């Protein structure tokens, strides 16, 4: 294989908020890639696990089957936990007419989990792509 990149440069352009990758290639060809970034403050949740009244444990396979029911194009899914069941439902917020959007919902019973203890009804919304990656 012939080496095509002679020199590689990384620059930080703070006024434009971007990271610039410059590849200096053979025959005078230069490739530039601009990666925009946004500065943010790191947040850390401060809580005691002992005070949490909800605890759910399941095999990854069970949850993987649940998220497999949702379309790949879907951005977010909401998990709603109650004492009697766990629901996964596609999250629809910005849809102009939510009645026309495809709605998917899956319900699981407590018996399908290794551990299921819900003291307070709760709802969490996840990025579906990231949830699939975790599972």
């Amino acid at each position: 294989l012939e080496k095509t990149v002679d020199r590689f440069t990384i620059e930080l352009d703070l006024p434009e908020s971007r990271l610039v990758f410059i590849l200096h290639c053979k025959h005078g060809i230069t490739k530039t890639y601009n990666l925009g970034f946004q500065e943010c403050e790191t947040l850390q949740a401060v809580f005691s696990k002992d005070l949490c009244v909800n605890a759910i444990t399941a095999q990854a396979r069970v949850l993987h089957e649940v998220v497999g029911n949702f379309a790949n194009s879907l951005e977010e899914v909401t998990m709603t936990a109650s004492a009697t069941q766990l629901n996964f439902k596609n999250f629809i917020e910005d849809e102009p007419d939510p009645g026309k959007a495809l709605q998917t919902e899956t319900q699981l019973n407590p018996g399908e989990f290794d551990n299921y203890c819900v003291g307070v009804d709760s709802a969490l919304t996840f990025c579906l792509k990231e949830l699939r990656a975790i599972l």
Side-chain angles (χ1 to χ4, degrees), residues 31-52:
K31 296 179 183 179
T32 304
Y33 299 93
N34 295 300
L35 179 63
F37 67 88
Q38 183 177 16
E39 288 189 51
C40 63
E41 183 178 319
T42 303
L43 300 176
Q44 185 171 353
V46 179
F47 65 95
S48 172
K49 290 182 184 180
D50 298 331
L51 297 177
C52 296

Side-chain angles (χ1 to χ4, degrees), residues 45-109:
V46 179
F47 65 95
S48 172
K49 290 182 184 180
D50 298 331
L51 297 177
C52 296
V53 293
N54 295 347
I56 301 172
T57 307
Q59 299 293 320
R61 175 188 49 81
V62 174
L63 297 176
H64 192 276
E65 289 175 7
V66 169
V67 297
N69 292 317
F70 294 96
N72 290 332
S73 60
L74 186 64
E75 289 186 29
E76 296 176 323
V77 63
T78 299
M79 178 185 77
T80 306
S82 69
T84 58
Q85 66 185 9
L86 186 73
N87 292 342
F88 284 87
K89 185 176 179 180
N90 58 325
F91 183 76
I92 302 171
E93 182 180 62
D94 297 333
E95 187 68 33
D97 188 0
K100 291 185 179 181
L102 176 65
Q103 296 183 15
T104 305
E105 184 173 359
T106 302
Q107 297 178 352
L108 299 171
N109 295 319

